[in-house]
Structure formats: structure tokens, C-alpha cells
Amino acid sequence: AQSVTQLDSQVPVFEEAPVELRCNYSSSVSVYLFWYVQYPNQGLQLLLKYLSGSTLVKGINGFEAEFNKSQTSFHLRKPSVHISDTAEYFCAVSVGGYQKVTFGTGTKLQVIP
Amino acid sequence: EAGVTQFPSHSVIEKGQTVTLRCDPISGHDNLYWYRRVMGKEIKFLLHFVKESKQDESGMPNNRFLAERTGGTYSTLKVQPAELEDSGVYFCASSQELQQAFFGQGTRLTVV
């Protein structure tokens, strides 16, 4: 079975500052990795995904993540955040594509003006 | 194109009552998933339909939960009788074969 750890439950950051949201996973087999975002009063939206190939993945809204197999990490980064990035971010993993995804507990990103 | 739609958006019921949640997937999506997030915890997989068949229901917590997808279109998730620990946000998602899953806004269920 696989698991996902998001150590930071909340991350406050000033507007235009860089941010990194940490994600570590555990699995005995190769996995697919995802980051989802939930804006207030909205559903989950796929931010980016790693299925194979280049370990640096670019997503929507200027976010990117890097898959590090040796450290079993998939940290999410953005060089300059905006107020509109305030949301909850979920790291997720699966072994079968989009089926039966295992999510982390989420990280609330609060962008401070 | 309409996204995944869930009804109701909020539901408050008393312990012991029955509640039925509905999910309308994106038209043409054979795969439909239910997930649940209990307050402050991770989002957990409940089950997966392919058309009207249950492909994987390993995440269903107990027999008080019944999911159906008649005709392979919309799905319902019934909780009967509801318990306090069933409170949380129930998400539905749908996808085409091996493609990205799209999530609905969720139904917030509160059992009092």
C-alpha cells in the first residue's frame, strides 16, 4: 500500500515571495504523483501530475514540482505567489493512473498581502 | 461542457437518519469515483464504478454505506443509518479511460 505525508498543515507566506509545499510518499512499486488544489467553496482541481519522463513537472498557475525518487519526494514550488493562490493543496499518489488515488492530509497556503 | 455535479452541497441530519448523496459525472465518463474527507484528515477513496459495475469498493467503511450507479450515468451514495463519524465532505470524480479525473465540489455532510 502507498501513503503520502504532507508535514505542513499550514504555510503562511507573503505575496510575491516564493513557496515550497512539501510532500513525501511511500510505495513499494512505481507510482504516479499528483498535486490537487481546492480553492474556497470549489472542488478539487488538478494542478500538475508526474506519470513518467522528466522529473520536473510544470503545472497551471505557475506551479511546478520535482519528482525525486531517491528521496521519495514530490515538493511543489512557485517562485512568486499571489493572493489568489490562497487555497488548500493536496499531494496524491496512485499506482494505476487516476484510479484509487491516495491523498495526503493537505496543506493550507495562506498568502499574506 | 458541464463538470461533475454533486447534490446537495450541504446536508445536516440527525444520527440514525438516512441520507442520499447524488453525483452526476461528466457526460461520457465511464469511470466514477467516490471519496470522503473526514474533518482534518486525508481524502480517502471509497469506491470506483466502471459504467454501472463496481470495480473497486475496498474503501467503503461498512455496510451502512450503499453506492449505486444505475444505467451507468449518475450515482448515489446512501448512508443508512447515519452515525456521527460519517460527518465529512464527500467528493465524487469522473474520468474517461486512463484520463484525468475531474472532481465535483463535494457534499458536506454533518450528522448531529
Side-chain angles (χ1 to χ4, degrees):
Chain A
Q2 55 273 9
S3 66
V4 178
T5 301
Q6 292 181 252
L7 289 174
D8 304 310
S9 59
Q10 294 189 60
V11 173
V13 62
F14 286 103
E15 193 174 15
E16 297 184 2
V19 69
E20 178 180 85
L21 305 184
R22 296 180 294 168
C23 172
N24 288 88
Y25 70 92
S26 173
S27 177
S28 58
V29 298
S30 295
V31 296
Y32 299 152
L33 294 157
F34 310 88
W35 275 98
Y36 283 86
V37 59
Q38 185 179 21
Y39 298 105
N41 301 317
Q42 295 187 28
L44 291 165
Q45 180 180 359
L46 183 64
L47 203 55
L48 50 78
K49 61 184 182 289
Y50 172 79
L51 303 183
S52 64
S54 174
T55 57
L56 182 62
V57 180
K58 293 189 182 298
I60 61 172
N61 301 336
F63 284 92
E64 64 179 31
E66 186 157 17
F67 170 55
N68 187 317
K69 189 174 182 179
S70 63
Q71 296 186 6
T72 60
S73 68
F74 191 55
H75 300 332
L76 181 70
R77 302 184 184 98
K78 186 169 182 177
S80 175
V81 295
H82 301 130
I83 294 291
S84 59
D85 293 323
T86 294
E88 191 161 17
Y89 293 79
F90 296 90
C91 183
V93 64
S94 80
V95 296
Y98 293 98
Q99 288 80 5
K100 199 174 184 180
V101 175
T102 299
F103 287 87
T105 51
T107 298
K108 290 183 179 178
L109 174 64
Q110 182 184 5
V111 180
I112 305 164
Chain B
E1 178 182 292
V4 177
T5 308
Q6 292 187 245
F7 303 97
S9 56
H10 296 85
S11 180
V12 181
I13 62 171
E14 292 183 351
K15 176 181 173 182
Q17 288 186 324
T18 297
V19 63
T20 300
L21 313 181
R22 173 169 169 148
C23 170
D24 286 58
I26 293 173
S27 178
H29 283 191
D30 289 338
N31 295 277
L32 187 148
Y33 315 86
W34 283 98
Y35 288 84
R36 176 177 74 168
R37 187 185 192 196
V38 173
M39 182 69 72
K41 298 194 175 181
E42 68 271 27
I43 301 168
K44 283 194 172 182
F45 168 85
L46 296 179
L47 87 160
H48 170 205
F49 283 99
V50 177
K51 296 184 180 179
E52 66 275 10
S53 300
K54 292 176 185 176
Q55 182 77 12
D56 182 348
E57 52 182 331
S58 60
M60 294 289 267
N62 51 60
N63 59 10
R64 293 186 294 103
F65 289 75
L66 175 64
E68 295 180 322
R69 193 182 182 194
T70 306
T73 55
Y74 71 90
S75 174
T76 57
L77 179 65
K78 180 188 289 187
V79 185
Q80 180 182 27
E83 298 290 345
L84 298 179
E85 63 264 25
D86 300 333
S87 295
V89 180
Y90 291 76
F91 291 102
C92 175
S94 72
S95 74
Q96 293 178 324
E97 182 66 26
L98 300 180
Q99 299 299 311
Q100 177 184 338
F102 293 87
F103 282 77
Q105 291 184 309
T107 293
R108 182 174 297 277
L109 174 64
T110 303
V111 182
V112 297

